[in-house]
């Protein structure tokens, strides 16, 4: 049995400092085998915000899987946005935009869906879909397989947002590889559903779990 803490959309730069310590304490109390952070660590991708986010990450239990969100790409600095979109993220958080954790029970793959050309939306490219296949398809059924993105593959009814670009193609790979859980953020609400509600691919349904800022507990078996 593995326990995960899932955090998302922390938005340092606008964070309520009163919740930071209780969130850290709760994360440690859960005693997770892995902490997952699904993007938007900062509000405007400023260096000071990334430094705050880095200090918070260092105070969390390890190991950790972290992916960027659209707010981690500079918005107002056009040159940085298009030519150096994740330089500050790489400097302060991690160089690894495809983090992967695997042990005897779980495999967790992070995918960067943040793009310079979109303000809120995100995409998965063909190389990332191939990465899902390379990392996940060879694992046996005894491993619980988890994919982490910032932008969601599905939406609750009435949501004004869009699903991540190339969602259907990615879901075909996810189904073919037997991925069990998809963790995402972006919507600032908690919601759990099943991929078969939107996608009919491969005769398999993955659990979709979207998190807002806070600790959430998921167990793989």
């Amino acid at each position: 049995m593995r326990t995960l803490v899932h955090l998302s959309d922390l938005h340092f730069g606008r964070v309520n400092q009163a919740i930071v310590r209780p969130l850290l304490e709760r994360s440690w109390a859960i005693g997770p085998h892995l902490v997952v952070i699904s993007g938007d660590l900062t509000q405007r991708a400023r260096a000071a915000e990334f430094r705050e986010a880095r200090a918070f990450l260092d105070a969390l239990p390890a190991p950790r899987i972290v992916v960027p969100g659209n707010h981690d790409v500079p918005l107002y600095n056009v040159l940085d946005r298009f030519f150096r979109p994740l330089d500050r993220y790489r400097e302060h958080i991690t160089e690894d935009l495809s983090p992967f954790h695997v042990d005897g029970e779980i495999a967790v793959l992070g995918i960067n869906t943040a793009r310079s050309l979109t303000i809120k939306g995100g995409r998965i490219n063909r190389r990332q879909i191939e990465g899902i296949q390379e990392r996940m398809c060879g694992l046996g059924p005894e491993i619980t397989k988890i994919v982490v993105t910032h932008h969601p593959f599905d939406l609750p009814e009435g949501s004004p947002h869009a699903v991540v670009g190339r969602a259907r193609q990615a879901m075909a790979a996810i189904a073919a590889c037997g991925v069990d859980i998809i963790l995402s953020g972006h919507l600032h609400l908690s919601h759990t559903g099943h991929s078969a509600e939107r996608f009919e691919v491969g005769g398999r349904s993955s659990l979709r779990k979207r998190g807002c800022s806070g600790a959430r507990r998921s167990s793989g078996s």
Side-chain angles (χ1 to χ4, degrees), residues 1-5 23-35 61-63 215-219:
M1 180 76 70
R2 293 289 185 264
T3 299
L4 276 62
V5 164
L23 181 56
L24 289 171
E25 291 174 350
R26 177 59 177 155
S27 297
W28 279 97
I30 289 171
H33 296 91
L34 182 69
V35 175
R216 284 162 182 75
R217 183 170 179 166
S218 300
S219 297

Side-chain angles (χ1 to χ4, degrees), residues 59 99 101 104 136 192 202:
H101 170 90
M136 295 297 196
T192 302

Side-chain angles (χ1 to χ4, degrees), residues 66-108:
V66 187
V67 297
N70 51 289
H71 276 261
D72 300 318
V73 175
L75 178 62
Y76 300 117
N77 187 323
V78 177
L79 287 178
D80 279 355
R81 181 171 185 82
F82 288 100
F83 296 103
R84 299 176 291 272
L86 289 172
D87 276 16
R88 287 177 180 166
Y89 177 90
R90 290 174 183 269
E91 177 184 356
H92 294 283
I93 306 302
T94 178
E95 286 279 347
D96 191 356
L97 299 182
S98 302
F100 186 58
H101 170 90
V102 63
D103 60 31
E105 293 192 22
I106 60 172
V108 186

Side-chain angles (χ1 to χ4, degrees), residues 19-48:
I19 70 170
V20 172
R21 181 172 292 278
L23 181 56
L24 289 171
E25 291 174 350
R26 177 59 177 155
S27 297
W28 279 97
I30 289 171
H33 296 91
L34 182 69
V35 175
V36 173
I37 300 95
S38 56
D40 278 2
L41 284 79
T42 67
Q43 178 63 16
R44 285 290 172 250
R46 297 185 175 101

Side-chain angles (χ1 to χ4, degrees), residues 97-212:
L97 299 182
S98 302
F100 186 58
H101 170 90
V102 63
D103 60 31
E105 293 192 22
I106 60 172
V108 186
L109 175 62
I111 298 173
N112 168 37
T113 58
R115 299 292 186 266
S116 297
L117 290 174
T118 60
I119 301 299
K120 292 186 177 181
R123 295 183 68 78
I124 290 181
N125 62 37
R126 291 184 178 86
R127 181 67 192 91
Q128 289 171 317
I129 294 173
E130 292 170 359
I132 296 172
Q133 297 168 324
E134 291 167 4
R135 292 282 183 80
M136 295 297 196
C137 281
L139 299 174
E142 73 280 4
I143 302 295
T144 298
K145 304 170 190 175
I146 303 169
V147 166
V148 181
T149 63
H150 177 64
H151 295 88
F153 283 84
D154 203 0
L155 305 167
E157 187 175 352
S159 172
H161 296 275
V163 298
V164 66
R166 291 201 176 94
R168 186 165 295 279
Q169 296 95 316
M171 281 303 309
I174 284 169
C177 293
V179 170
D180 300 285
I181 302 172
I182 304 168
L183 300 177
S184 61
H186 190 56
L187 303 183
H188 292 205
L189 55 82
S190 296
H191 182 78
T192 302
H194 294 274
S195 60
E197 294 169 4
R198 179 180 291 264
F199 304 99
E200 294 182 7
V201 287
R204 183 180 180 84
S205 180
S206 300
L207 176 68
R208 293 178 290 97
K209 195 173 192 320
R210 288 182 293 275
C212 59

